Amino acid sequence: MDDGIKPSLPQSSFSSEEKPPEKKEQEAAPKAEPSPSQKEKGKIAVGFEQFQLSPEVQRALKEMGFVTPTDIQREAIPAVFKGFDVLGQAKTGTGKTAVFGIYLTDVIDRRLNHPQALVLAPTRELAMQIAREISTISKYTGLRVATVYGGQSIEPQIRQLRQGVHVVVATPGRVLDHLERGTLNLSHVCRVVIDEADRMLDMGFIDDVRRILGHTMKGRQTMLFSATMPEEILKLSKQYQYEPMYISVSRDEPAVITHIAHQFIMVSPKTKYDALFLYLEEKQPHHTIIFCRTKSSSDKLGFVMKKKEFRASAFHGDLSQNRRDSVMKMFREGSINILVATDLAARGLDVLEVSHVINYDPPDDPIMYVHRVGRTGRIGRGGTAVSLIAYGEMGLLGQIERHCKITMEEVKLTGYVAVREDDYQTFGSRSGNRPQQQHQHYGQRGGGSRRGGFGNYRQGGGGRPRR
Ligand code: CDP
Ligand code: MG
């Protein structure tokens, strides 16, 4: 699938004189008084000074160690300050959060006592993380940020909202709950951010998002961010944005980060555990997220790993929110270093220490590969993504390679055999359908042959696989 540029949308190369399009109903986007530094003109700077942010924001960014803006920050921050509706597409871990975090902090009128901005995210953990980052950026400004999400008592949220907040960061379900109870008023919300926008506008969320947007100001500024923007989502986004500016800093490249190692290990159903445990023992990775297809397989693998004395814990949507919170806290703080997760952890999570992503079950589609592996290699750091691939999944591997324009290298593990004697039953030896014949898939990925065989599927290069 193509995440690439959509020529019909205006691009980000606008001049400093350029104005955002007049909105149809121009009642929106009141701005706070510009800070003295915003009034200064003509500064040429490479750091965050170039945006002429308030001294309070600049001070916070300095403390956060933000020195040079990333590409998406350099392009998107001026655009959002000019009031454009923006579609911001940039690779995972490139600081998209700070684009809107800085903007909202600087522009919101803190003298008013009602929500003026809403940020929507697909998972509770991501909503919390975004709220934390905005709170850190706004540390010296007195901006009040509320996090609104399900799975925890609604009463404290109601109390907080009653006290008056400026920015609400939320998951959609709980926002609707508050709207129905009349405990959240979005009628002054003139700036909306939809993070992980392609996920938020897909079938799972779109009805909720549409209803929520209906409660915000007409003529609002709507900002969409994601590492992936499939074409159908770009088309759909036009319903919610007004002449959006499409800012894609990796427009001619696939969205996947290429500065990490992309690897795979051949497995059969019976050797998946062997492959995983051998890999972990051999490589001793730092912080690792292991992705499983289902909640039950995440539970099962988490359980087995604990028994084997790995510092691991399952993380998925069937756990209580308290449990999810404590697992995430342990992972961030390092008391566990392996998260055995479903795709709940695939989008948005920013844990800089994550050195490895392991696809215990491969993702269903290449877009999910982009997001999963994007949990490592944050903000230009190194990282490794390893996928356990069964013979029947070689087609999927090929799809991922083509979509992401990457080549996955096969990992050789000492003493590891991908297909064991008893797998022959699984493959159906009576029909003669042994793994050798399954290797036709290998060729289909368009690149297997150049690796000269099946790696450690057969040790010693001949005969039947040994146990
Ligand atoms: O949303 P996206 O995947 O693009 O990345 P993020 O979740 O905003 O994470 C970016 C990470 O880089 C965070 O840990 C930021 O604190 C950090 N960072 C940044 O955003 N901008 C900089 N100029 C420097 C660091
Ligand atoms: Mg993000």
Side-chain angles (χ1 to χ4, degrees), residues 35-248:
S35 63
S37 64
Q38 278 174 290
K39 290 175 191 158
E40 287 173 35
K41 298 262 185 249
K43 268 191 175 177
I44 299 169
V46 289
F48 281 90
E49 325 77 87
Q50 68 186 285
F51 306 124
Q52 302 185 1
L53 306 166
S54 68
E56 293 83 7
V57 173
Q58 293 202 43
R59 184 175 165 202
L61 294 179
K62 207 168 165 194
E63 281 182 15
M64 292 165 81
F66 287 24
V67 180
T68 315
T70 62
D71 290 348
I72 184 72
Q73 290 167 352
R74 200 172 300 110
E75 292 208 32
I77 290 175
V80 292
F81 268 99
K82 285 186 165 98
F84 281 99
D85 280 5
V86 155
L87 272 156
Q89 190 261 320
K91 295 186 187 210
T92 50
T94 56
K96 295 186 286 296
T97 317
V99 172
F100 55 86
I102 290 171
Y103 171 56
L104 296 179
T105 300
D106 211 277
V107 85
I108 277 172
D109 191 342
R110 294 179 296 278
R111 294 164 303 183
L112 305 173
N113 208 25
H114 49 243
Q116 295 158 62
L118 172 71
V119 181
L120 292 174
T123 66
R124 298 163 187 173
E125 287 71 20
L126 183 53
M128 286 184 243
Q129 179 184 295
I130 292 169
R132 259 198 314 274
E133 177 143 347
I134 300 177
S135 299
T136 313
I137 295 170
S138 61
K139 183 173 169 186
Y140 297 110
T141 67
L143 189 80
R144 289 195 297 279
V145 183
T147 322
V148 162
Y149 57 89
Q152 60 153 215
S153 168
I154 201 164
E155 298 303 329
Q157 293 175 3
I158 294 175
R159 279 197 295 277
Q160 193 186 9
L161 292 171
R162 241 188 241 135
Q163 283 162 12
V165 299
H166 301 118
V167 179
V168 175
V169 185
T171 52
R174 190 46 78 85
V175 173
L176 288 172
D177 199 350
H178 278 287
L179 288 171
E180 272 158 29
R181 290 165 183 252
T183 47
L184 174 62
N185 179 358
L186 298 179
S187 62
H188 296 285
V189 166
C190 53
R191 296 183 178 91
V192 173
V193 174
I194 305 182
D195 199 21
E196 304 295 336
D198 53 335
R199 172 74 184 105
M200 300 300 285
L201 299 184
D202 82 9
M203 278 183 2
F205 278 113
I206 185 68
D207 290 339
D208 288 354
V209 171
R210 190 179 292 132
R211 281 173 62 201
I212 292 167
L213 291 179
H215 286 261
T216 63
M217 279 175 95
K218 294 200 177 72
R220 65 174 184 268
Q221 182 184 15
T222 312
M223 294 156 274
L224 269 49
F225 292 91
S226 184
T228 51
M229 291 279 185
E231 195 158 348
E232 64 272 19
I233 299 295
L234 277 176
K235 279 188 196 139
L236 190 64
S237 69
K238 287 184 182 162
Q239 294 176 22
Y240 307 101
Q241 293 190 293
Y242 184 68
E243 297 192 0
M245 175 169 288
Y246 183 46
I247 300 176
S248 171

Side-chain angles (χ1 to χ4, degrees), residues 46 93 178 251 310 347 435:
V46 289
H178 278 287
R251 59 180 65 119
F310 287 102
R347 279 191 181 252

